[in-house]
Amino acid sequence: MPTTQTTIQHVSFENCLMNAAGVYCYSKEELEQVINSSAGSFVTKTATLEARLGNPEPRYINTSLGSINSMGLPNLSLHYYLEYLIELQEIYKERTYFLSLTGLNQEDIHKSLKQVQESEFNGFVELNLSCPNVPGKPQIAYDFETTDNILKQVFSYYKKPLGIKLPPYFDIVHFDQAAEIFNRYPLAFVNCINSIGNGLIIEDESVVIKPKEGFGGLGGDYIKPTALANVHAFYKRLNKSIAIIGTGGVKTGRDVFEHILCGASMVQVGTALQKEGPEIFERLTRELKAIMEEKGYKTLEEFRGKLNYL
Ligand SMILES: Cc1cc2nc3c(=O)[nH]c(=O)nc-3n(C[C@H](O)[C@H](O)[C@H](O)COP(=O)(O)O)c2cc1C
């Protein structure tokens, strides 16, 4: 029987599948449902120092091809998720979870990470560099100079495993420039990709979500080719010590297979998890194993990154 076991920085996960930040991870109750599913780990909702209510509703809409959202980072605060993760560490000593966090400005990012550094938490941090930040400035990871400065400062005091969640890039030169910066730091992973920003979905004569006159991040089928391109572009460019987490457009075992073929070590599910619920992890795992069996692969390593070119 094939195994979907995987590792990131010597930490082993029984299954390569998990939720994507923002989906089934707002509260302990939601996270418990992921813990009790076939997923190999979970990541929390992106936490800020203070709890946030987020944007007015409707702020998330499912469409036949995926989803659009402008949530505005609703979350229960860094303190809430950090305390819960530390509790879980005592209960599930052999499991490792991910804490997603960001700041509304650079100072908040450092305050948050210093709190995590000083805490008992021993899991992975996923630093979200792909949310809207200072008004008038692009999201952090589209500003390479700021990204480099933040990482330089972070790694001067943060000594636990940390990776970054990236927005999609669309230009080969940007892949080169971003990878050159990331390779300077002891990152545990990069996660590609966050939603494709600022799409617009229209029904009849109107937008479908309330914030930002309908502009919102796209997930689901719309974004799979962009996600795969980003996973593979960074797989080819980054130091082998930096794992890739693949996120975007996963709704079948075939989609998971393709992310791994592009180089992903773990694969996250957002929109499809929102639509189907945590039972999806069992179906995806079964479908992935069926593909592996048919092709004669026993482990993910046998095909990770081994995309064929014409
Ligand atoms: C409702 C919703 C909330 C999200 N919130 C976050 C978040 O807090 N932090 C983050 O890094 N990504 C967030 N995302 C982006 C997802 O983690 C994921 O990168 C994106 O949706 C692409 O995956 P998908 O095609 O499976 O949906 C959110 C996505 C959705 C749909």
Side-chain angles (χ1 to χ4, degrees):
M1 195 55 179
T3 165
T4 57
Q5 181 276 337
T6 193
T7 53
I8 293 186
Q9 274 203 339
H10 311 298
V11 176
S12 176
F13 299 88
E14 256 180 61
N15 192 355
C16 62
L17 288 163
M18 61 187 288
N19 70 299
V23 181
Y24 273 89
C25 58
Y26 176 76
S27 62
K28 295 177 189 180
E29 291 71 27
E30 287 189 352
L31 287 164
E32 266 165 25
Q33 293 184 58
V34 181
I35 293 174
N36 294 326
S37 75
S38 307
S41 185
F42 71 67
V43 58
T44 66
K45 174 67 191 174
T46 295
T48 48
L49 278 173
E50 305 295 332
R52 290 169 56 87
L53 289 173
N55 291 336
E57 296 184 351
R59 58 193 185 181
Y60 174 91
I61 292 288
N62 283 324
T63 70
S64 53
L65 291 176
S67 67
I68 184 167
N69 86 84
S70 176
M71 302 298 288
L73 276 182
N75 77 92
L76 293 166
S77 80
L78 175 64
H79 177 77
Y80 176 93
Y81 301 108
L82 194 52
E83 290 296 295
Y84 181 53
L85 285 161
I86 292 168
E87 256 174 56
L88 289 177
Q89 274 173 201
E90 291 303 307
I91 307 172
Y92 303 107
K93 290 198 165 56
E94 75 295 354
R95 299 195 200 172
T96 304
Y97 296 114
F98 293 70
L99 167 63
S100 171
L101 63 82
T102 194
L104 301 179
N105 51 52
Q106 288 190 39
E107 198 189 328
D108 280 5
I109 291 180
H110 297 302
K111 265 193 197 160
S112 297
L113 283 173
K114 282 177 183 167
Q115 267 188 35
V116 182
Q117 174 66 35
E118 283 157 24
S119 75
E120 303 286 299
F121 177 64
N122 60 18
F124 286 96
V125 160
E126 181 174 287
L127 174 60
N128 184 356
L129 293 182
S130 38
C131 350
N133 198 341
V134 186
K137 280 247 182 190
Q139 44 171 308
I140 296 172
Y142 283 153
D143 176 341
F144 291 143
E145 197 184 330
T146 303
T147 298
D148 191 20
N149 283 335
I150 289 175
L151 292 177
K152 193 179 296 163
Q153 221 177 315
V154 163
F155 284 108
S156 71
Y157 61 83
Y158 196 79
K159 304 297 174 195
K160 299 177 182 181
L162 177 141
I164 49 181
K165 177 85 173 271
L166 297 175
Y169 298 101
F170 300 94
D171 194 299
I172 300 296
V173 172
H174 292 159
F175 290 134
D176 293 340
Q177 291 172 340
E180 195 268 317
I181 293 169
F182 303 151
N183 276 334
R184 296 179 202 160
Y185 300 101
L187 289 163
F189 63 86
V190 302
N191 182 344
C192 308
I193 58 173
N194 211 312
S195 335
I196 293 189
N198 295 307
L200 191 56
I201 286 173
I202 297 173
E203 261 172 28
D204 191 14
E205 297 186 21
S206 170
V207 302
V208 297
I209 55 171
K210 188 172 170 70
K212 293 169 64 182
E213 297 185 331
F215 282 52
L218 301 177
D221 296 359
Y222 303 111
I223 78 166
K224 192 180 85 169
T226 300
L228 293 176
N230 275 260
V231 167
H232 197 55
F234 283 110
Y235 180 76
K236 299 273 281 186
R237 286 167 177 76
L238 293 182
N239 302 334
K240 285 300 163 225
S241 58
I242 306 178
I244 316 282
I245 299 181
T247 306
V250 172
K251 65 174 187 189
T252 66
R254 172 72 202 184
D255 300 326
V256 182
F257 180 79
E258 289 178 12
H259 268 274
I260 296 167
L261 201 62
C262 286
S265 290
M266 283 196 99
V267 178
Q268 297 185 345
V269 190
T271 301
L273 168 62
Q274 183 64 44
K275 290 181 177 179
E276 196 171 326
E279 309 82 50
I280 195 173
F281 292 113
E282 201 183 324
R283 175 175 67 79
L284 294 176
T285 309
R286 191 174 1 101
E287 290 174 1
L288 174 62
K289 283 184 174 172
I291 294 169
M292 290 171 70
E293 262 194 318
E294 190 190 314
K295 291 178 174 285
Y297 294 130
K298 293 206 164 46
T299 67
L300 304 185
E301 281 67 43
E302 289 167 39
F303 63 97
R304 174 174 303 120
K306 304 222 169 97
L307 180 63
N308 290 322
Y309 307 122
L310 300 181

